[in-house]
Amino acid sequence: MIELRKKKDPKLIQSLKAATINTLFALSVMEGYVDGKVFVDDEVNPASFYLEHPYGMALLYGENGKEAFYEEVKSHLLNLGKTRTGTVWLQVYPSALYPKIDSLLGERLIKKGPDEPYSNTSAAEADKVLQYDRINFNFQEDQYLALKKQLSHENDKIIATTEDLFNQMNGTVIPKYFWNNYRDFSKNGIGFTLLQNGVAVSTAFSSVLTDHKLEIGIETSTAHRGSGFAARVCIQLIDHCLKNGLEPVWSCNSGNMGSRGLAKRLGFTECKRIPYYRLPV
C-alpha cells in the first residue's frame, strides 16, 4: 500500500461525496479536519484506497484496484504483521466489493446476526473478523419538530462545550477522540453539554462537520443514562443544525439498541444497512 501524503485529493474527495453510504468520517480525514492515514493502490491515478480515522474507523473504497494492493490490505485487516494496536471497524464501498472481501478474509470471517450486540464475542473469535451491520439514517424534520415538543425541558442548563469539558470528558464517544484538539473543534465543530448541579452529565457534539452535514456523537455519564438527558442535549444540537443550514446525520451499529431507539425518538428513520467489520487486534 502506498501512503497518500497529500490528503486533499480532489478526485477522491468527490468520489466520497458521491457515495450512497455515510462516508463523513472518511471525508473529515481526506479534507484535513482530523489526522488519519490514507493508502492508495496507485499514487498517480488511484482506483482504490484504504483510509483509517484515529477513532478506529476505516473505509476500503473502490473495487478496481490492483491485486497487490488488496493483498496488502488483507494482511493489514487480519493484522498479520501487527501493523495495528487497537480494534478497527471497517466499512466497504461499493457493494460490488463485498464478494472480494469475503474471498480475501476467507475462514477468518464470521458473519454475526444483524442485531447481535457487538459485545457478545467469545475467546475463539478474538482473531476473527466479525461482520455486523451498520445502519444509516435519514432525518425527518417534520417528525422531529413534532417529537421535540414531548422531549424539551426549558429548565435544563445546556452550555456550549468548553475547552475544560473537551479535555476532561471521559467516555467512549467524546469530542477529543474525533478532533485533533480543542482549537480545531471550536473552529470547525460544535458541541453542547447538559449540566446538573454544575456537573457535565451528557454531551452531544459534531463528530464530523463537513459538506453542510453534521454527524452527531453523544456521550452520557454512566450514572445518568436512562434519564432522558441524551435526547434533550441532542435537541440543542439538532436545533443548531436547523438554524445554520446543516443536515443532522446519524449512524450506528445495528446492535446498539440504545442509539437506534434515541435516533427514532429524534425523528431519524433507518434508510440503509451495510456490512460492518470488526477487525482483530
Side-chain angles (χ1 to χ4, degrees), residues 153-168:
H153 286 253
E154 294 182 359
N155 295 326
D156 286 337
K157 184 174 182 181
I158 299 177
I159 64 170
T161 304
T162 65
E163 185 170 7
D164 284 345
L165 290 170
F166 178 93
N167 291 322
Q168 297 171 11

Side-chain angles (χ1 to χ4, degrees), residues 70-102:
Y70 289 124
E71 286 301 315
E72 291 184 79
V73 167
K74 172 184 175 179
S75 177
H76 184 71
L77 299 184
L78 297 175
N79 210 17
L80 299 180
K82 299 301 178 184
T83 52
R84 293 185 290 99
T85 57
T87 299
V88 170
W89 288 87
L90 173 72
Q91 297 176 62
V92 172
Y93 186 86
S95 58
L97 192 53
Y98 297 162
K100 181 72 172 180
I101 287 295
D102 286 354

